[in-house]
Amino acid sequence: MKSSRAATKKKGTTAAAARNNPGYLHPITLAVDIGGTGLKVMALDAQGSPLSERMRTPTPDPATPQRVLEALDGLRDRLPACDRVSVGFPGVIKHGQTLTAANLHPDWVGFPLQAMLEKGWKIPVHLANDAAVQGYGAIRGKGVELVLTLGTGLGSALFTDGQLCAGLELGHHPWRKGKTYEDYLGRRGLKKYGKKRWNRLLSKAIEQTAHTFNWDHLFIGGGNAKLINFALPENVSTISNEDGLFGGVALWSYRSRTPQVK
Ligand code: BGC
């Protein structure tokens, strides 16, 4: 949601200050973003104001469920007490399970991540695809809005009047010469084709998605969005890395309207 993005400016609030400040509004959300190269966490109050720094640790290698859960435990110990957890995960999520994880480890297929975290952390956990969580932090809730994230993988989330169409995996859709969007625009593509060609390909992909989805607005996020070197069309904007975490608060408000991402 837009209001939470303004909260980026409040960075610097310490966990200790959060604990001592009665002005922070509950429920406090522990927002977790599991990425192919980094795990990120931040505590946010009910209005999306950060109660901690955005903390990051490299994604373990191999990125098995057990190694990732251990690393998350380490990050969580450095944060104030929270009432609930939101997790953005780089794969398909259904019924609290991770069904795919192209850039992590095969052991994630069918892993009950929600139940495991709830058991370990003893607070309610809500999981969604990472691009969907980014989207919840950015969308306006009107018309067709597409979110693409440029990182290790290519994330995608499609919203119609604020409703998520769960399960879209544009990154793995064939695009050109038998290769997928992610082959060209994810980390591997960037490395293989170089920044200049990657930018040209991204510009073509934007055009292609406009014809495919007829979006009213396209949001582009992810760590590599900062490498974009061409002028974006009027109805295309970039979103900050923090949106992935701020979206964790919005995720809970959209939850009741989005049964597919339970
Ligand atoms: C995954 C998506 C994810 C994206 C960005 C892709 O490889 O299949 O689910 O959103 O990477 O992390």
Side-chain angles (χ1 to χ4, degrees), residues 89-92 100 102-103 129-131 149 152-156 169 172 182:
F89 182 85
V92 176
T100 67
N103 296 302
N129 172 264
D130 53 358
T149 60
T152 310
L154 176 79
S156 56
E169 282 283 336
H172 301 294
E182 182 166 300

Side-chain angles (χ1 to χ4, degrees), residues 182-226:
E182 182 166 300
D183 290 332
Y184 288 105
L185 300 173
R187 187 178 53 186
R188 283 188 314 275
L190 178 61
K191 203 168 160 210
K192 180 165 175 190
Y193 301 110
K195 202 171 125 189
K196 198 167 160 197
R197 189 146 170 234
W198 179 87
N199 266 280
R200 278 207 304 270
L201 286 159
L202 176 62
S203 164
K204 286 198 167 76
I206 291 175
E207 221 178 290
Q208 179 65 62
T209 64
H211 294 307
T212 310
F213 298 102
N214 295 292
W215 37 257
D216 298 300
H217 200 96
L218 169 65
F219 294 96
I220 304 183
N224 290 337
K226 60 179 180 298

